[in-house]
């Protein structure tokens, strides 16, 4: 049998026998460099400083702050990050040019990351150098960095498309010149877990300094390739928050860290309880939303709609969750979701949280109404659930802390959108005005001005539920309080601004009714 296995899976056998699996891995984050190379993403200096501070706080070992030689602003940004006295080391990217290295050194970085193409297709078409010239350039540039700084990372760009004997020759030159770590980039994302595992093992047999990996996600394999490389002996991983980066992006920090920590038991030094927080900050600054089904940090990562799943989760969370990764471990929360697959147990549980106890007949009717609404393609919100319960049970489920009396909007192509709101708050009439990026934004801000409350708007959706220019629009919003609890609310009408304001009021009433204080 073993002979047959070796014939079918010659590398697979060697991988598990010959690997040099590390006990601890360091995290090198390149959100501020490769992440910002995402088309359409451009962070301000202040946003970069915020992200750098956050990455340092959560335990990132090294932050690649940018490519200083690319512009005066980039040099200023890297300089400011390097002067922050962060716990994390600050790294600057450099081509294999003396002036690039000098620019990095001027910024006061802790490490310079130099790279040079090594694959034939990259070498011949981008830098137009021979193999011998690349070897010479590698030794010279690494040596120059080490003459001026204690840490130098060397990257053999497009390593996974470089023939192995030559790649090892280049890496040995870098090591002999003083490189403190070598990076193996899967520059165009063409490797597979088995191939990269074999590559890392081959390199580790020839190179004594730490091996780092940088994997792109062109085929959706960046995280798998990165974690397999660690299993094969790499001791540092390059990642970005939310996997942003060139083309399809890079290995995602949250997924990579949790696979290493929870599945493989390898320490990364990352404070995992802040992964969701970090993801949301970068999403807000980059303008790239986190998809609900994003592993680890997405809204649906620990959400359950199916009746079978919800019932199991209520009995034991490990029935339909990994168990070795809980929502609390990553700064998330478990929640039950409403939809056409929802079951009686989940609906009863959600109603019991707000002290509503329907009879079995009433519960069946509530569930049927939820499924009917969802089957028409509409999202069912928490507010919908309580409104349905009110109607079927003939009760007032939600105490209306705030009731809208009047709203006025001024908007045009030569004025700042402004909204004024008059509402009854706890029996007292209050008014407030606010400006916004548009009439809807102004209206929502004005509502919050009437009743200041510490919430953030997580999701805002508008959909037409009838046709024509007088179409009825349906607004659905999700808000989050300071405790991390989320609440869904909605409203419909032919005036989308009014519907938006009413949806926010419905959300505030849910929030107040659930125990939030003003």
């Amino acid at each position: 049998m073993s002979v047959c296995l070796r014939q079918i899976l010659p590398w697979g056998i060697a991988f598990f026998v010959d690997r040099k699996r590390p006990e601890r891995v360091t995290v090198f984050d390149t959100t501020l460099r490769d992440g910002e190379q995402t088309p359409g993403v451009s962070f301000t200096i202040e946003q970069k400083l915020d992200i750098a501070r956050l990455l340092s706080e959560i335990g990132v070992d090294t932050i690649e702050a940018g490519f200083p030689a690319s512009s005066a602003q980039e040099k200023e940004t890297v300089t400011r990050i390097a002067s922050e006295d962060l716990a994390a080391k600050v790294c600057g990217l450099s081509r294999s040019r003396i002036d690039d290295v000098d620019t990095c050194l001027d910024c006061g970085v802790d490490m310079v990351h130099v790279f040079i193409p090594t694959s034939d297709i990259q070498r011949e078409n981008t830098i137009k150098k021979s193999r011998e010239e690349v070897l010479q350039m590698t030794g010279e540039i690494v040596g120059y960095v080490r003459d001026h700084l204690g840490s130098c990372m060397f990257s053999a760009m497009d390593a996974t498309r470089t023939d192995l004997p030559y790649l090892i020759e280049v890496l040995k030159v870098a090591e002999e010149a003083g490189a403190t770590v070598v990076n193996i980039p899967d520059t165009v994302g063409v490797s597979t877990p088995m191939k990269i595992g074999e590559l890392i093992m081959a390199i580790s047999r020839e190179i004594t300094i730490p091996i780092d990996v940088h994997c792109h996600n062109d085929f959706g394999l960046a995280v798998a390739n990165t974690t397999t490389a660690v299993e094969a002996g790499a001791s540092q991983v390059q990642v970005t928050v939310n996997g942003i980066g060139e083309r399809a992006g890079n290995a995602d920090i949250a997924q990579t860290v949790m696979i290493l920590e929870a599945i493989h038991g390898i320490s990364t030094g990352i404070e995992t309880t802040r992964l969701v927080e970090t993801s949301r900050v970068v999403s807000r600054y980059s303008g790239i939303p986190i998809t609900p089904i994003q592993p680890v940090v997405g809204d649906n990562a620990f959400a359950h709609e199916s009746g079978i799943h919800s019932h199991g989760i209520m009995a034991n969370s490990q029935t339909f969750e990994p168990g070795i990764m809980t929502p609390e471990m990553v700064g998330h929360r478990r929640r039950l979701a409403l939809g056409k697959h929802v079951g009686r147990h989940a609906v009863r549980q959600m109603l019991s949280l707000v002290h509503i106890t329907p009879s079995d007949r009433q519960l069946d009717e509530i569930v049927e109404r939820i499924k009917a609404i969802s089957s028409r393609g509409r999202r069912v919100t928490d507010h919908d659930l309580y409104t349905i319960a009110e109607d079927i049970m003939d009760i007032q489920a939600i105490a209306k802390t705030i009731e809208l009396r009047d709203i006025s909007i001024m908007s045009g192509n030569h004025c700042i959108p402004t909204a004024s709101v008059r509402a009854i708050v706890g029996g007292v009439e209050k008014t407030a005005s606010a400006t916004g990026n548009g009439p809807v934004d102004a209206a929502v801000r004005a509502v919050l001005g009437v009743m200041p409350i510490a919430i953030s708007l997580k999701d805002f959706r508008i959909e037409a539920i009838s046709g024509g220019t007088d179409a009825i629009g349906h607004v659905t919003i999700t808000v989050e309080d300071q405790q991390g609890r989320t609440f869904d609310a909605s409203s419909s009408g032919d005036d989308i601004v009014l519907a938006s304001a009413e949806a926010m009021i419905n959300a505030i009433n849910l929030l107040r009714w659930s125990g939030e204080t003003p």
Side-chain angles (χ1 to χ4, degrees):
M1 175 65 75
S2 61
V3 173
C4 180
L5 281 174
R6 282 193 177 89
Q7 291 171 345
I8 298 173
L9 297 171
W11 172 83
I13 297 295
F15 176 69
F16 290 104
V17 171
D18 197 31
R19 65 182 177 179
K20 298 178 181 178
R21 184 178 182 271
E23 294 182 358
R24 189 180 189 280
V25 167
T26 53
V27 174
F28 180 109
D29 187 279
T30 183
T31 301
L32 300 180
R33 198 277 299 171
D34 201 331
E36 196 183 29
Q37 290 173 206
T38 305
V41 172
S42 180
F43 299 122
T44 66
I45 291 180
E46 291 305 320
Q47 288 173 342
K48 279 197 164 189
L49 285 166
D50 283 349
I51 294 170
R53 294 180 190 119
L54 183 53
L55 292 173
S56 180
E57 288 172 8
I58 70 171
V60 165
D61 182 82
T62 306
I63 297 168
E64 190 164 46
F67 182 10
S70 64
S71 70
Q73 184 185 37
E74 187 77 346
K75 181 179 179 182
E76 179 189 354
T77 302
V78 176
T79 301
R80 288 187 60 181
I81 293 172
S83 67
E84 282 285 305
D85 194 27
L86 301 174
K89 295 188 286 289
V90 176
C91 176
L93 182 70
S94 166
R95 290 165 295 187
S96 295
R97 292 172 42 167
I98 298 298
D99 55 340
D100 273 22
V101 173
D102 287 340
T103 305
C104 286
L105 296 173
D106 289 344
C107 296
V109 296
D110 304 300
M111 170 187 279
V112 174
H113 175 192
V114 293
F115 68 93
I116 191 166
T118 56
S119 70
D120 289 342
I121 190 168
Q122 287 265 1
R123 180 178 51 76
E124 294 169 2
N125 289 280
T126 61
I127 60 173
K128 303 187 187 304
K129 300 290 183 181
S130 67
R131 289 190 168 199
E132 292 71 25
E133 287 174 310
V134 166
L135 290 170
Q136 182 180 351
M137 291 171 65
T138 297
E140 290 175 351
I141 199 67
V142 171
Y144 185 81
V145 174
R146 286 308 312 276
D147 285 342
H148 296 81
L149 198 63
S151 295
C152 175
M153 172 184 283
F154 173 77
S155 284
M157 192 162 77
D158 209 17
T160 54
R161 291 196 297 180
T162 305
D163 66 85
L164 185 57
Y166 180 65
L167 176 62
I168 289 175
E169 188 177 0
V170 174
L171 297 178
K172 282 185 173 181
V173 169
E175 180 178 24
E176 290 166 4
T180 51
V181 57
V182 290
N183 173 40
I184 309 303
D186 185 22
T187 303
V188 292
V190 294
S191 192
T192 64
M194 293 186 73
K195 287 179 180 178
I196 204 161
E198 185 176 40
L199 176 62
I200 296 301
M201 282 194 304
I203 292 170
S204 66
R205 286 192 288 265
E206 304 289 339
I207 300 296
T208 61
I209 57 178
I211 299 171
D212 168 278
V213 288
H214 176 106
C215 298
H216 277 268
N217 205 37
D218 297 73
F219 286 90
L221 292 169
V223 171
N225 285 337
T226 300
T227 54
T228 303
V230 170
E231 283 283 278
S235 58
Q236 183 166 273
V237 294
Q238 290 201 16
V239 294
T240 62
V241 180
N242 298 333
I244 62 175
E246 291 276 7
R247 304 182 312 280
N250 295 267
D252 171 68
I253 185 173
Q255 296 170 45
T256 302
V257 164
M258 292 313 298
I259 288 171
L260 294 176
E261 295 263 1
I263 295 179
H264 295 310
I266 298 173
S267 173
T268 63
I270 297 296
E271 187 179 338
T272 62
T273 55
R274 300 186 67 181
L275 287 172
V276 170
E277 171 195 352
T278 304
S279 171
R280 290 176 180 174
V281 168
V282 172
S283 173
R284 186 168 72 251
Y285 287 165
S286 67
I288 299 177
I290 307 163
T291 63
I293 58 171
Q294 178 95 345
V296 184
V297 298
D299 283 345
N300 290 355
F302 298 94
H304 307 274
E305 177 186 315
S306 163
I308 295 172
H309 284 225
S310 298
H311 191 195
I313 284 294
M314 286 186 285
N316 185 328
S317 62
Q318 294 190 39
T319 52
F320 290 101
E321 286 180 5
I324 54 175
M325 178 178 70
T326 65
E328 294 78 15
M329 286 171 65
V330 299
H332 224 317
R333 286 179 179 268
R334 180 178 297 109
R335 67 184 181 91
L336 301 177
L338 297 164
K340 68 178 181 180
H341 303 293
V342 75
R344 298 173 79 257
H345 293 283
V347 173
R348 188 184 292 279
Q349 170 74 5
M350 295 176 75
L351 291 173
S352 71
L353 294 175
V354 290
H355 312 294
I356 298 176
T357 309
S359 66
D360 288 345
R361 181 191 60 78
Q362 290 170 331
L363 180 63
D364 288 339
E365 192 172 346
I366 291 169
V367 171
E368 285 307 309
R369 288 240 199 133
I370 290 170
K371 291 186 175 185
I373 293 172
S374 182
S375 294
R376 293 196 295 270
R378 236 193 73 189
R379 179 180 172 188
V380 184
T381 67
D382 299 332
H383 183 265
D384 292 330
L385 169 63
Y386 304 138
T387 300
I388 291 168
E390 283 182 336
D391 182 49
I392 291 173
M393 299 174 66
D394 194 24
I395 60 172
Q396 182 178 348
I398 306 171
K400 292 178 173 57
T401 302
I402 177 172
E403 293 184 66
L404 184 65
R405 284 287 184 262
D406 183 56
I407 182 168
S408 299
I409 303 292
M410 180 178 70
S411 184
N413 62 333
H414 295 298
C415 67
I416 298 173
T418 305
S420 297
V421 166
R422 182 169 62 91
I424 304 300
V425 181
V428 179
E429 183 174 288
K430 293 188 177 183
T431 61
S433 297
T435 59
N437 292 328
V440 170
D441 184 43
V444 169
R445 289 175 184 268
V447 170
L448 291 174
V450 169
M451 186 173 183
I453 192 167
I455 61 173
S456 59
L457 186 62
K458 286 192 62 186
D459 190 30
F460 183 93
R461 302 181 190 180
I462 300 175
E463 57 184 323
I465 54 178
S466 66
T469 56
D470 59 347
I472 300 296
H474 184 72
V475 176
T476 304
I477 67 172
T478 302
V479 298
E480 183 178 53
D481 66 9
Q482 290 181 308
Q483 286 74 48
R485 298 176 300 170
T486 59
F487 299 85
D488 299 327
S490 62
S491 183
S492 300
D494 55 5
D495 186 328
I496 206 65
V497 177
L498 179 59
S500 300
E502 289 178 339
M504 178 57 75
I505 286 173
N506 290 337
I508 291 174
N509 282 328
L510 281 175
L511 201 63
R512 294 278 294 143
W513 183 53
S514 67
E516 175 71 18
T517 55

